[in-house]
Amino acid sequence: TSRVCPPFCVQPMKIHPQVTTVGEVELLSFLDKEVKDAKGLLIDARLPGWFEKGTIPGSINIPFSILDAGVDNAHAKRIIQLLGATERGDDWNFDNVQALLMFCNGPWCGQSARAINNLIGMGYPPEKLFWYRGGMQSWQSLGLTVVTPK
């Protein structure tokens, strides 16, 4: 896919030193171990319109744009609480948050990278974040299953 850069620039292989970039086999293992045991979530960070056209089975949609405002935004605040963060005064405790594996449209799409960087900026531990850089473009090019959410 060829799109104008910026804003659609090819993403690096590593977006943060402590965030692990994964491929399809690791994503499937994450679904089988983390998601299945309710220890992690597969997050489609694309906007709802893209998510509704098709996504990786087992994923939920948390659009990258919701996390842009940080914990000052009521929606972002509620999301990190649902992920296991607890508020303590003006600070947050991220000790019990879930592992998240995030993806978007593909190597040229920065939506999931932006969501990950925003979560890290809020205090989310980067070692609990995983990134599927290939996104939907790689997933579909390999002929892997895509579902349409209801």
Side-chain angles (χ1 to χ4, degrees):
T1 300
S2 173
R3 296 182 75 178
V4 177
C5 173
F8 302 103
C9 303
V10 174
Q11 300 296 304
M13 287 303 291
K14 288 287 279 177
I15 55 168
H16 185 279
Q18 293 173 283
V19 173
T20 302
T21 304
V22 302
E24 294 76 22
V25 171
E26 294 84 5
L27 188 152
L28 291 167
S29 178
F30 185 88
L31 280 169
D32 187 48
K33 294 177 182 162
E34 304 300 320
V35 175
K36 185 178 174 183
D37 293 339
K39 295 178 185 173
L41 294 169
L42 177 61
I43 307 290
D44 185 332
R46 300 175 301 158
L47 296 173
W50 285 98
F51 176 74
E52 291 162 6
K53 291 177 185 176
T55 190
I56 298 172
S59 70
I60 63 168
N61 186 222
I62 300 178
F64 75 98
S65 55
I66 290 175
L67 301 171
D68 278 350
V71 291
D72 294 335
N73 176 284
H75 295 297
K77 182 178 181 177
R78 183 67 182 134
I79 287 168
I80 63 169
Q81 288 172 326
L82 290 170
L83 296 173
T86 53
E87 202 170 0
R88 51 178 185 202
D90 291 338
D91 219 2
W92 286 88
N93 181 327
F94 289 89
D95 290 346
N96 297 313
V97 293
Q98 293 194 13
L100 306 178
L101 195 159
M102 304 184 90
F103 69 93
C104 53
N105 283 314
W108 49 266
C109 179
Q111 295 176 3
S112 54
R114 191 161 140 188
I116 288 169
N117 285 320
N118 283 332
L119 284 167
I120 292 169
M122 290 180 216
Y124 215 94
E127 62 276 4
K128 290 271 197 156
L129 298 169
F130 301 85
W131 183 42
Y132 175 42
R133 178 182 178 264
M136 289 304 296
Q137 185 178 23
S138 293
W139 190 262
Q140 288 179 298
S141 74
L142 293 169
L144 297 168
T145 302
V146 173
V147 295
T148 305
K150 297 184 182 195

